[in-house]
Amino acid sequence: MSLRDLPSVERLLQTEAGERLQADFGHDSSVRALRQVLESARQAIRDGSPAPGGDRVLAEARQALDRQLAPSLQSVINATGVILHTNMGRAVLSRAARQAIDEAAAHYTTLEYDLDRGERGRRDVHAESLLRDLTGAEAALVVNNNAAAVLLAVSALAARRRVVVSRSQLIEIGGGFRIPEVLKQSGAKLVEVGTTNRTHRQDFESALQEGAGLILRAHPSNFKIIGFTQQPSLADLVELGERYSVAVLDDLGSGALLDTAAYGLGHEPTVQESVQAGASLVAFSGDKLLGGPQAGLLVGRKDLVERLRRHPLARAVRADKLCLAGLAATLGHYLKGEAVREIPVWRMIAAEEDGLRRRAETCARRLGAEARPARSTVGGGSLPEETLPTWCVALPGPSPDARAADLRRQGPPVIGRVEADAVWLDLRTVLPEQDDLLVQCVESAQAADAQKDDALR
């Protein structure tokens, strides 16, 4: 066999398979893929391998284009038991939120158009009134995530000024978001007070006596300090802020609007509590316990929100129409008193153990597996060490890591957790309407595994 035995690109394109390739992927992409396959074939021939036929070249070109164009962002079944799994996109949106996003994506919208006046309007209005009604705040602003919300607030209120923070709250959360670095980027000067485990009201007051532009309280996110600890309350910080004419920014991180304690968890501070305590501004996320799309929400005093709105950075971090549409629909669930029924995050948190057990037993029976009790977590930087009782489908076997890998290769991929002798699939984070699909994916993985065993024999 020689290089002359290889078909030309032009000849391949003129075949029936070549025409289908162009119809599916376009002429230019097909040509590039064929050239790459032929170049690899030439090298293989030089190394002593036979020349591939035209059908094989076309098949390899199609496979290469399929791989290239396959989306890297895929839907998965989250069977880990972590409700707000950051690596999997955190909150799953409600049906109404998804429909609102689809509607906004498919049409022109009133994003910045005032229908009454027939002229340009503000994009903030689409969620501001809902946030005011839900939290009791005077005003609200939406940006693209909570890190941006904190950066904007500090930049607008305390650039080149002192920001007083308790030393125990100089946190780093996922992705390397560090409070000290955010303050540095804003141009503010960080003033640490207190110690790692104990900070007193007097520590803040001593720092404020030397002048400051802002008091910052940061949620500890996904860690907890226990034992000999002390922190001034938000009410204490608000009182000090009023005495020294310094605004108080309360970075709540997750930002719950419902009381998590009502569902067997510890109490996560709510946005309403911070507003009622008198925080000047409260910053929180849209895609964590709120259960909406990725967003950073700021609520608080009207004069301060207006300063943030006018700051040059506000445009750089503003939310787009899809975020605002999904957020408004999500907030509507709270106003209608249907959040626990309609928002998937709260459906998962509120799911009763008996119902999870019945689902796990049904799935396990279909799969010839075991139903086992376990614990789920909230995740998303909320309620560290807090867990909820749950039930899992346990898939025992000699190689649970290999079985977990097989499950990740399914369509859609199934992601569980490996513990001891089994892969555990936690039903709390699997939507009930996904149960049949979960079973099908596991069965497909089991069939593929059986085929491998047969081949080895």
Side-chain angles (χ1 to χ4, degrees):
M1 288 289 186
S2 69
L3 296 176
R4 293 179 182 178
D5 295 312
L6 287 174
S8 68
V9 170
E10 189 62 31
R11 178 181 163 194
L12 291 168
L13 292 174
Q14 292 172 359
T15 65
E16 184 178 345
E19 290 176 353
R20 288 198 302 270
L21 189 72
Q22 295 176 81
D24 292 341
F25 298 102
H27 175 77
D28 292 347
S29 294
S30 298
V31 168
R32 282 194 297 270
L34 288 169
R35 285 175 176 168
Q36 289 169 359
V37 173
L38 288 170
E39 181 57 36
S40 297
R42 292 187 188 97
Q43 185 58 51
I45 291 171
R46 295 187 190 102
D47 294 338
S49 298
D55 289 345
R56 178 179 165 190
V57 172
L58 285 161
E60 290 185 8
R62 177 173 287 278
Q63 291 171 0
L65 288 168
D66 281 334
R67 287 193 300 270
Q68 179 184 352
L69 297 176
S72 59
L73 188 63
Q74 302 180 57
S75 297
V76 303
I77 296 179
N78 173 17
T80 65
V82 181
I83 296 172
L84 294 169
H85 202 303
T86 298
N87 298 344
M88 296 182 205
R90 293 182 182 158
V92 177
L93 301 183
S94 71
R95 183 185 301 274
R98 300 195 306 270
Q99 290 174 341
I101 290 172
D102 184 65
E103 185 73 13
H107 301 94
Y108 291 104
T109 68
T110 56
L111 177 64
E112 291 185 357
Y113 189 83
D114 189 315
L115 290 173
D116 292 332
R117 294 184 296 141
E119 58 187 47
R120 182 170 183 168
R122 279 187 10 220
R123 68 177 58 201
D124 312 88
V125 300
H126 303 295
E128 183 174 23
S129 62
L130 298 172
L131 285 166
R132 288 201 311 263
D133 290 344
L134 284 167
T135 67
E138 294 177 0
L141 180 65
V142 181
V143 295
N144 57 23
N145 62 37
N146 192 47
V150 175
L151 176 61
L152 174 61
V154 178
S155 299
L157 303 180
R160 297 182 297 279
R161 302 181 68 188
R162 289 155 50 93
V163 177
V164 186
V165 188
S166 172
R167 184 168 279 109
S168 64
Q169 295 173 6
L170 297 178
I171 60 169
E172 174 183 332
I173 61 174
F177 173 77
R178 293 181 171 186
I179 290 291
E181 293 176 2
V182 171
L183 297 184
K184 181 179 179 181
Q185 186 66 35
S186 71
K189 180 181 178 182
L190 170 64
V191 178
E192 304 175 29
V193 296
T195 63
T196 300
N197 60 316
R198 289 176 70 83
T199 302
H200 301 277
R201 174 191 170 108
Q202 181 58 43
D203 297 321
F204 276 91
E205 185 156 18
S206 297
L208 292 172
Q209 289 171 350
E210 299 178 22
L214 190 68
I215 298 171
L216 172 62
R217 188 179 82 152
H219 188 284
S221 187
N222 52 8
F223 84 101
K224 181 186 293 186
I225 299 176
I226 60 174
F228 190 57
T229 64
Q230 175 70 38
Q231 287 290 332
S233 67
L234 179 58
D236 286 334
L237 298 181
V238 168
E239 184 181 336
L240 287 172
E242 291 174 350
R243 181 182 305 176
Y244 292 93
S245 300
V246 177
V248 177
L249 170 62
D250 192 15
D251 173 16
L252 281 182
S254 190
L257 293 180
L258 299 180
D259 184 5
T260 52
Y263 304 95
L265 293 163
H267 176 68
E268 179 78 2
T270 67
V271 179
Q272 299 93 317
E273 290 168 349
S274 292
V275 171
Q276 291 167 6
S280 310
L281 287 173
V282 184
F284 55 103
S285 295
D287 58 342
K288 294 183 180 179
L289 283 174
L290 187 72
Q294 177 179 298
L297 311 178
L298 287 151
V299 299
R301 282 170 38 188
K302 185 175 182 179
D303 61 324
L304 298 184
V305 171
E306 287 302 319
R307 285 176 62 181
L308 270 57
R309 207 189 306 275
R310 294 192 300 268
H311 193 275
L313 186 59
R315 182 177 178 85
V317 299
R318 67 184 182 179
D320 72 349
K321 66 177 182 179
L322 304 185
C323 168
L324 292 169
L327 177 63
T330 303
L331 295 173
H333 293 312
Y334 288 95
L335 283 173
K336 291 185 282 187
E338 61 185 24
V340 175
R341 185 177 75 246
E342 298 295 335
I343 297 176
V345 166
W346 284 101
R347 283 174 58 193
M348 293 175 186
I349 289 174
E352 295 183 355
E353 186 179 358
D354 283 348
L356 295 171
R357 176 182 54 79
R358 288 192 295 271
R359 289 174 56 202
E361 289 174 347
T362 299
C363 292
R365 188 163 50 248
R366 294 172 63 184
L367 292 168
E370 301 176 30
R372 297 180 183 176
R375 309 291 296 187
S376 303
T377 60
V378 176
S382 308
L383 301 163
E385 297 186 346
E386 292 283 339
T387 61
L388 290 163
T390 191
W391 280 79
C392 298
V393 176
L395 306 172
S399 181
D401 288 326
R403 173 164 287 188
D406 287 340
L407 290 171
R408 294 196 300 272
R409 285 190 283 267
Q410 300 309 304
V414 175
I415 304 177
R417 61 180 189 257
V418 175
E419 292 184 10
D421 62 337
V423 177
W424 295 60
L425 306 177
D426 192 326
L427 271 295
R428 185 177 288 278
T429 51
V430 177
L431 299 170
E433 54 267 31
Q434 292 180 316
D435 285 359
D436 287 341
L437 182 57
L438 174 69
V439 170
Q440 292 169 18
C441 290
V442 176
E443 288 175 337
S444 177
Q446 289 173 336
D449 195 44
Q451 289 177 352
K452 290 179 191 175
D453 291 342
D454 290 341
L456 290 174
R457 295 193 193 100

